[in-house]
Amino acid sequence: MTYFSNRFSLLILVAAALALALIGYTKLLPELDECPNPAALLDPRAIDPRAVLITKGHSHTDFSKERVTARIPGDQTAPTPLLYSISRSYGLPARLFQPAMVIQPTGEPATLERAVLEVDGNSLPYQYAYEPNRARLRVTAYFMTHQGSAIESPLWTLVNNSPSAFIEGRWPITLFVAATTVRHDRREDAERQIRDWIRTSWRHYQATCGA
């Protein structure tokens, strides 16, 4: 039994290595974009006119080609500020595997939960990360898009699209992340606030990128 388990593990490792090598080779191919105006996608005020820009430009830490981070102040309906980031990459940066770490990580172990949000007839998969910090709870959620569609796995998306990339070129993956910190008893309020942001961000992506 151990013999077969070892062989299976070896096959998985070989397959993963070949997939990563294939993805790496496609870095030499032309870069395409489903967004006619990528700068408009990264405009913080297009998502919320109250948004305050924090940083903009590519990131050396996560190898994003483009990235913007902004802050939406609280109000009566959502009293806690919301931090969010939109980043785009043609490769497979490590941050795509730990999106919750994009915005001011607390360093505490996170509990992950998958969810689906229905927006205008589209099923949008996203994931929550809950990080306790004493009396407060940091709630983070993120979703990803590729060629006009929401995706769950950046790795398999790039692997599945590698053959067509040799003919057409590469398309970016866009990562949307939002986070807020609340008391533990306000978790549902935080989730509602973030869902509203996801809904608005998805509509902004569709309108801007012609999806």
Side-chain angles (χ1 to χ4, degrees):
M1 186 70 178
T2 303
Y3 172 74
F4 289 105
S5 298
N6 290 339
R7 288 195 63 184
F8 181 75
S9 299
L10 180 60
L11 288 174
I12 293 295
L13 290 174
V14 171
L18 290 174
L20 291 175
L22 185 61
I23 291 171
Y25 182 76
T26 59
K27 290 182 179 181
L28 304 175
L29 301 175
E31 293 180 351
L32 306 174
D33 202 322
E34 74 271 30
C35 296
N37 184 4
L41 177 65
L42 300 174
D43 180 8
R45 294 183 179 273
I47 292 180
D48 192 307
R50 302 170 300 155
V52 177
L53 179 66
I54 299 176
T55 60
K56 188 173 184 178
H58 74 279
S59 172
H60 293 290
T61 57
D62 63 7
F63 305 103
S64 299
K65 184 176 180 63
E66 301 168 295
R67 179 175 170 185
V68 63
T69 304
R71 177 180 180 273
I72 300 174
D75 57 19
Q76 291 183 346
T77 57
T80 57
L82 185 74
L83 290 174
Y84 75 85
S85 172
I86 303 174
S87 56
R88 314 188 79 213
S89 175
Y90 285 88
L92 197 62
R95 290 299 192 203
L96 288 181
F97 292 100
Q98 292 181 306
M101 301 293 286
V102 170
I103 305 176
Q104 298 178 0
T106 65
E108 297 293 331
T111 301
L112 304 178
E113 290 185 13
R114 295 187 179 276
V116 176
L117 182 64
E118 297 295 329
V119 184
D120 303 330
N122 297 286
S123 296
L124 189 63
Y126 66 103
Q127 184 160 298
Y128 281 116
Y130 302 96
E131 300 170 88
N133 187 10
R134 296 183 181 178
R136 311 282 285 179
L137 178 68
R138 176 187 166 91
V139 182
T140 306
Y142 62 89
F143 70 96
M144 289 173 275
T145 63
H146 182 264
Q147 284 189 264
S149 301
I151 62 172
E152 291 190 70
S153 170
L155 174 61
W156 293 118
T157 296
L158 292 179
V159 170
N160 290 335
N161 285 275
S162 290
S164 61
F166 285 100
I167 301 174
E168 301 175 352
R170 297 180 296 149
W171 298 86
I173 288 179
T174 305
L175 170 65
F176 297 79
V177 186
T180 188
T181 302
V182 295
R183 300 194 313 264
H184 286 266
D185 61 349
R186 301 297 298 272
R187 169 174 161 168
E188 291 186 1
D189 294 336
E191 292 172 347
R192 187 180 306 111
Q193 181 184 8
I194 288 177
R195 281 197 303 270
D196 290 341
W197 178 86
I198 291 175
R199 188 178 293 108
T200 302
S201 298
W202 171 251
R203 287 171 175 165
H204 172 56
Y205 171 73
Q206 287 193 310
T208 305
C209 299

